[in-house]
Structure formats: structure tokens, C-alpha cells
Amino acid sequence: MADAGAGSLHGGDAALPYPPEEQELSQRLRRLYPAVNQEETPLPRSWSPKDKYNYIGLSQGNLRVHYKGHGKNHKDAASVRATHPIPAACGIYYFEVKIVSKGRDGYMGIGLSAQGVNMNRLPGWDKHSYGYHGDDGHSFCSSGTGQPYGPTFTTGDVIGCCVNLINNTCFYTKNGHSLGIAFTDLPSNLYPTVGLQTPGEIVDANFGQQPFVFDIEDYMREWRAKIQSTIKRFPIGDRLGEWQAMLQNMVSSYLVHHGYCSTATAFARVTDTTIQEEQTSIKNRQRIQKLVLAGRVGEAIEATQQLYPGLLEHNPNLLFMLKCRQFVEMVNGTDSEVRCFSARSPRSQDSYPGSPSLSPRHGSSNSHVHSTGADSPTCSNGVMSTKSKQSHSKYPTLSSSSSSSSSSSPSSVNYSESNSTDSTKSQQHSSTSNQETSDSEMEMEAEHYPNGVLENSSTRIMNGTYKHEDILQTDESSMDSCPQRQLCGGNHAATERMIQFGRELQMLSEQLCREYGKNTMHKKMLQDAFSLLAYSDPWNCPVGQQLDPIQREPVCAALNSAILESQNLPKQPPLMLALGQASECLRLMARVGLGSCSFARVDDYLH
């Protein structure tokens, strides 16, 4: 499947790649202007065929400009603007123009103009128009009268125009050398502009299509250092102690939120901060997150229902998201609703020691998993369901078994033993392990999946962080021996269960629609999930990105936040809120034309 990133057309089909030169342009623009959101504020990439005087002709991808008028006097002057104005988030913007031919008289102007400025003029002659002219070397600042500025320019010269949106100035370069400040107090939203006046004049623009003659990146580095120095020198004064304590609490809450249990405990001990949530509760959330990130969404739903009764019932949107994700994982063959139908390797029988209802000590015999026919019991998360189990949810049960709700509060339940059939062993284990279980003991090991997840590979999950590459990356010899991925692991009974689950998911969608009205997001999630079945190879189809393990992360984050909110804890850690606020402030700065936002990026302080 084609990557929908830099190598695809904006807003188009992911299967249509950029030409190599367009990819190079996109990469260079991202490197030069990383703070610019090109979805909101596109960068100039060419001259506009719609925003020009009719004496201007364009060619070579609208980068070459030639004059096609009479050229008798100044009334025959003609200009063209770029496709888009210069975004303030650039901080510093630069483009170059090469003089292909000076024509008859070389009456050429290079500069900037606002939207609406008359194009029957050279840049600089009218209000909100600025230009550097080749015939006399003068600069024109919203006036027909120029001021001496630099040398003249002619055929073969490369003239650059740099707009500094931090101090609102502009300078030009000639053949890679700066000519000094030409204009100050520039307004925002100016367009690169070029004007010609006599026959034979031809110029080529470079908006990043080629490396620039002038070293603009060195100039940008100077200004980045200035802005960051200003930030570092910001006076804190007598409130330093308050700030330190606040930051320590923010870091602590971040670690707790994401389930970094041991790290949070060590940090709290060193900084003398208090953890608001009990350690067992943190570990319960951590285990649920691990299940989701491992693709075992059915087990995560069961665990959530047991540890946090009523949570999903009161969050129908979250429940539906989880069920849609579970269907995707069933297609992938990773959810235990379908994995239980596949024969297991000896090692996988006792995998995931920290999870419920999977190893033999947590449930009844596995002999039923190979049964077929209408009378065979349905396998849910590795445990054979019986008719005595009743679901108390108001929504249709999408799993044939449901966990019994625990009477204990989530903070006092050790989830690793909550489903044990040996209650005595469970109690003994809980009494000794609740306080002693370290993060390293909660690492989970990947089972043998017939769908391309390597047998006996180790899935290292430390402190709540799931490293997908540890499962998915392998050497070539391992890949050669790995069976081809198949729908539901290639098992017919598992496929039947997946289809049944899909019907139940459709019923849930209809019920939610009756109770809460139409939900376009639900409809799209369901359509996307079901669309996987339309392709013989779901992993390489237009909607196959759903099967990428990274798509589990937003589902995991949503479930984690809901659990925290149900416990009257912040659903987002204050540190993330502060970073989000800082990023939003930078976006607002860009919208109002404060160019310094480009060199005060949050990411620069996180890496």
C-alpha cells in the first residue's frame, strides 16, 4: 500500500506519488519552514496564472515568467504574484529569481505585494508593494520614487528576497551575497512578486525547487539562537521554587497517567512529591493498556468491565470504538476471540502471565476450541462460556462470555489474578505480589500468531510502553520462514466467529443510533472496519492502515483517559495540557503574524 505521507499528492489519492522533483521540494520546504502547517497556510510554490497582468506569460510549471507586451512606457509594466502569501509561521522566508534574459532594457522588479495591488505596475510603485529594480538598483517602497539601494542586475544574475517576519524587514541578495536591509515595518500576508516591462525579459523563480545560492539556513540558525536565548533569559525571579514544585508535580502526574509505575515511584521519592493514585490502580490501568496495544481488545474490554463496572456502559462512544477495534484485530488474527480457535505452540500455552482467562490455570480445558457445529461452545478470550453466564449490559453482548463484575474497587484489585479459578492461590498471590510486582515482571510475551507475528518473539512492554518494532522487525531468514498472513489466522472457525461478531457489531450500531441518533463517526468506523473484508489481502488494501499496530494507540489513550476520569483523576496529564497550550499559543502567534513563533517550537525543547 502506498504511503500517504510526503510521497503522495495533497488531498489526493495516496496511490498517486509525487514526481521526484516535487518530493525534493516538499522535503526542502519542511526543513526550512517546519512550523508551517501547509494544510492551513500553504507555502508559495509557483506563480499564479490567475493573479497576473495579461502581458505576463508563464511556462515551465509556472516558474518561468516572460514579458509579452509592447514595452513602450511604464503603462506597459506587468507583474505576477505567487500562488499563496508568505505564512507568518515561516519566521524567515526566502526565494530567488534568476535573470534568464534582461531583454531590451532590463526594467525588471523583484519583491513583494499585498493581495489586490495593481498588477499593471512594477513591484514597489504602489501602496503595500515593495521592489528592487534591475535597471537602476533602486528600492521602491510603496512609491514611484526609488531610493539608492544596491547594484544593478542583468542576465545571469540570481537575486534573492528574504522576508524576516520576526522584525518585519526585508533584504535582498545578489549571487549569494546579502545587500543589506531594504525595507522595514512590512505588513503581513505579502506575496512574492516579480514585474517586467520590456520585450525579451525572462526570469525563473526558485521557491525551493533547487538549493538556494544564498545560505539562508545559516541566517535562520542565527535567528533561532536569538529567539531561544530570549526564552532562556526570561526572568523567573522569586517564584523559582514554586515553578520547580509545579513542574515536578506535572512530571509525576505524567508518569502516573501513562502507567510508568516504578519510574513514578522513584521520581516521587527523589523529589518528595505525592502520587495521587494507588500503585495497584496504576498497574491495573497499565495492564489494560498492554492488552489493547497487543491487539487483545476483547480481553481489555473484559478487564475494564470487571475492574471498572459501568464505565463502558456509560461511555457508549468508547465502547463502540473498542468493539470496532476488536473487529479489526479479529481480522488481523490477534484478538483472542479468534486466536483461541488456533492450535497453540507448547510455549504459548502459558504466555502472558499477567493477563486473565488465557493460561490453563485461569480457565477450563482448551479441548473445546477445535469443536465445530451449532452445539459447540463459543470461545471468548480463551475461556469457554456457559449458558449460566449472564450479561448485565444494556447493549448487545458482542462476546459470548462476560466478566463478572468485581465488588472490589479498581484500586484494590490485582487484575493479574482477578479471574483465577483457584481463589486460595489467588488470595495468597495477591497478598504478596501487589506491592512487590515490578514493571519488569509485567512484561508480556507474544504468543505464536499465524498472522505474521513471529513465534517465540518477545514483546517487550516496559512501563506501559509497547514497542511494536520488537514484534514486527526481524531478520530476513525469520521472515522467509514466517507463514503468509491470512484472514483470522487462516482458521475457518475463527472466520465464522469474526463474521458473527460483525453482525453483532452492526446490531450495536443500530441500537446506539436508536438511542442517541445518527453518528457519522460511528458509521465511518464501522464502514472502514467492514471494508477490510472486501479484499483478499486486507493488509495491502486502501483501508489496510487500520491493521497497523500504531492504530491501537489512540484507542488505548481514549480508554486510559476514560478510566482516569471515572476515578475523578485528570483524564489528561497537566504536562500534556501545558504542552498543548504552548503549541496553541504558537499557532495563534502565527495567525496574528508574529514570526518568532517559528523558532520557539515546543519540539525543540523535548528532544
Side-chain angles (χ1 to χ4, degrees):
M1 178 176 159
D3 185 4
S8 61
L9 296 172
H10 286 299
D13 191 337
L16 298 176
Y18 272 134
E21 59 273 14
E22 284 294 313
Q23 292 189 37
E24 183 180 350
L25 170 61
S26 296
Q27 290 169 1
R28 184 172 289 112
L29 293 180
R30 279 197 300 271
R31 186 178 72 250
L32 290 172
Y33 315 113
V36 174
N37 181 346
Q38 294 192 58
E39 296 290 332
E40 295 181 0
T41 54
L43 288 159
R45 289 174 177 244
S46 63
W47 302 115
S48 172
K50 299 179 181 179
D51 196 5
K52 67 181 183 66
Y53 195 62
N54 55 16
Y55 287 171
I56 289 290
L58 299 177
S59 60
Q60 298 188 11
N62 294 332
L63 292 174
R64 172 161 289 190
V65 184
H66 66 272
Y67 182 79
K68 58 180 186 179
H70 304 293
K72 294 180 179 179
N73 54 47
H74 70 275
K75 294 183 180 180
D76 292 328
S79 292
V80 59
R81 270 187 286 268
T83 51
H84 301 286
I86 300 168
C90 289
I92 291 170
Y93 180 79
Y94 185 75
F95 71 99
E96 288 183 340
V97 174
K98 182 176 181 178
I99 314 304
V100 178
S101 172
K102 79 176 188 67
R104 190 183 71 197
D105 300 324
Y107 290 168
M108 299 170 290
I110 298 169
L112 310 159
S113 64
Q115 181 67 47
V117 171
N118 187 1
M119 290 282 92
N120 189 202
R121 308 270 284 171
L122 290 183
W125 286 352
D126 296 314
K127 186 177 181 181
H128 299 316
S129 180
Y130 309 86
Y132 168 36
H133 292 196
D135 60 306
D136 56 12
H138 286 187
S139 63
F140 291 76
C141 179
S142 302
S143 170
T145 303
Q147 301 294 325
Y149 171 64
T152 60
F153 51 87
T154 186
T155 301
D157 288 330
V158 176
I159 304 301
C161 178
C162 179
V163 183
N164 187 323
L165 295 120
I166 301 170
N167 60 12
N168 300 317
T169 63
C170 169
F171 71 86
Y172 289 88
T173 66
K174 180 180 178 182
N175 299 328
H177 300 284
S178 175
L179 303 179
I181 299 295
F183 309 114
T184 59
D185 301 319
L186 292 176
S188 58
N189 294 318
L190 295 175
Y191 291 72
T193 307
V194 67
L196 309 175
Q197 189 176 314
T198 62
E201 295 172 352
I202 305 173
V203 299
D204 285 347
N206 178 11
F207 294 105
Q209 284 81 4
Q210 303 293 331
F212 294 119
V213 176
F214 177 72
D215 189 356
I216 188 62
E217 293 187 62
D218 184 61
Y219 181 72
M220 289 177 167
R221 280 190 289 271
E222 292 179 14
W223 273 92
R224 183 176 291 104
K226 288 181 183 179
I227 297 300
Q228 293 182 351
S229 176
T230 301
I231 294 172
K232 291 176 182 177
R233 293 199 311 267
F234 183 82
I236 295 177
D238 296 336
R239 299 188 61 190
L240 177 60
E242 297 177 34
W243 286 47
Q244 285 179 330
M246 184 183 300
L247 288 172
Q248 288 169 353
N249 284 324
M250 291 170 72
V251 171
S252 176
S253 64
Y254 176 86
L255 296 172
V256 169
H257 177 93
H258 290 287
Y260 302 140
C261 196
S262 295
T263 307
T265 302
F267 184 83
R269 185 166 55 248
V270 171
T271 59
D272 197 26
T273 53
T274 302
I275 296 178
Q276 301 298 322
E277 186 179 6
E278 291 185 25
Q279 190 176 70
T280 308
S281 177
I282 299 172
K283 290 180 178 179
N284 286 336
R285 287 192 299 103
Q286 183 190 53
R287 291 187 177 98
I288 291 173
Q289 290 180 77
K290 289 175 181 178
L291 289 170
V292 175
L293 293 173
R296 297 158 59 188
V297 183
E299 293 172 70
I301 293 173
E302 277 200 33
T304 303
Q305 289 171 334
Q306 179 178 3
L307 295 168
Y308 306 96
L311 172 63
L312 296 180
E313 187 170 322
H314 292 96
N315 287 271
N317 290 333
L318 176 61
L319 174 64
F320 190 77
M321 178 195 297
L322 287 165
K323 292 295 185 182
C324 285
R325 186 67 216 176
Q326 185 179 3
F327 181 85
V328 172
E329 298 298 348
M330 291 173 77
V331 173
N332 200 31
T334 47
D335 190 80
S336 51
E337 278 280 339
V338 297
R339 198 175 69 246
C340 64
F341 288 99
S342 301
R344 300 182 184 177
S345 64
R347 175 172 180 174
S348 69
Q349 289 291 330
D350 202 29
S351 295
Y352 306 106
S355 64
S357 309
L358 202 63
S359 62
R361 64 197 172 101
H362 287 223
S364 54
S365 171
N366 283 357
S367 60
H368 68 279
V369 300
H370 299 295
S371 302
T372 57
D375 296 330
S376 64
T378 304
C379 174
S380 175
N381 295 328
V383 178
M384 179 171 61
S385 66
T386 62
K387 292 182 180 179
S388 62
K389 290 190 176 182
Q390 300 293 327
S391 172
H392 301 287
S393 173
K394 64 187 261 191
Y395 300 113
T397 303
L398 274 71
S399 174
S400 55
S401 68
S402 60
S403 301
S404 58
S405 298
S406 171
S407 59
S408 304
S409 67
S411 62
S412 63
V413 176
N414 185 343
Y415 168 55
S416 66
E417 296 296 325
S418 59
N419 274 10
S420 176
T421 56
D422 187 341
S423 59
T424 305
K425 187 181 295 184
S426 171
Q427 293 169 2
Q428 292 172 348
H429 182 82
S430 298
S431 64
T432 58
S433 66
N434 275 0
Q435 300 301 321
E436 297 174 2
T437 303
S438 66
D439 291 323
S440 60
E441 291 173 317
M442 288 188 289
E443 297 171 10
M444 293 195 299
E445 182 177 271
E447 288 195 60
H448 165 69
Y449 298 157
N451 242 9
V453 181
L454 300 181
E455 180 178 1
N456 296 336
S457 64
S458 178
T459 306
R460 311 307 283 175
I461 307 178
M462 294 296 295
N463 284 333
T465 301
Y466 179 79
K467 297 185 178 179
H468 302 298
E469 61 272 16
D470 291 343
I471 283 183
L472 301 177
Q473 291 182 357
T474 183
D475 56 35
E476 294 180 2
S477 60
S478 297
M479 287 299 294
D480 291 340
S481 63
C482 182
Q484 185 179 2
R485 293 179 296 189
Q486 294 178 297
L487 190 72
C488 299
N491 183 282
H492 179 73
T495 303
E496 291 287 342
R497 174 65 192 124
M498 180 266 296
I499 293 172
Q500 177 189 345
F501 187 94
R503 294 193 185 104
E504 295 166 355
L505 184 56
Q506 177 68 39
M507 290 172 54
L508 175 60
S509 174
E510 293 170 357
Q511 179 173 344
L512 292 176
C513 185
R514 288 192 298 270
E515 292 186 13
Y516 300 99
K518 292 183 179 180
N519 188 312
T520 55
M521 187 175 297
H522 286 186
K523 183 178 179 180
K524 185 177 187 313
M525 281 193 290
L526 198 63
Q527 286 178 341
D528 287 348
F530 286 175
S531 294
L532 291 168
L533 303 185
Y535 300 90
S536 59
D537 184 1
W539 294 268
N540 294 289
C541 73
V543 291
Q545 73 277 1
Q546 297 176 86
L547 296 167
D548 189 329
I550 200 170
Q551 299 299 328
R552 300 165 182 164
E553 294 180 8
V555 179
C556 178
L559 178 56
N560 188 46
S561 293
I563 292 173
L564 286 164
E565 193 172 26
S566 73
Q567 303 301 300
N568 295 318
L569 294 168
K571 68 177 184 177
Q572 292 294 335
L575 180 60
M576 297 306 298
L577 293 175
L579 292 175
Q581 177 73 10
S583 297
E584 183 60 27
C585 285
L586 293 174
R587 282 192 286 271
L588 290 173
M589 289 174 66
R591 291 194 187 109
V592 299
L594 298 176
S596 57
C597 66
S598 62
F599 299 137
R601 299 176 65 231
V602 172
D603 287 352
D604 292 339
Y605 295 88
L606 298 179
H607 301 291

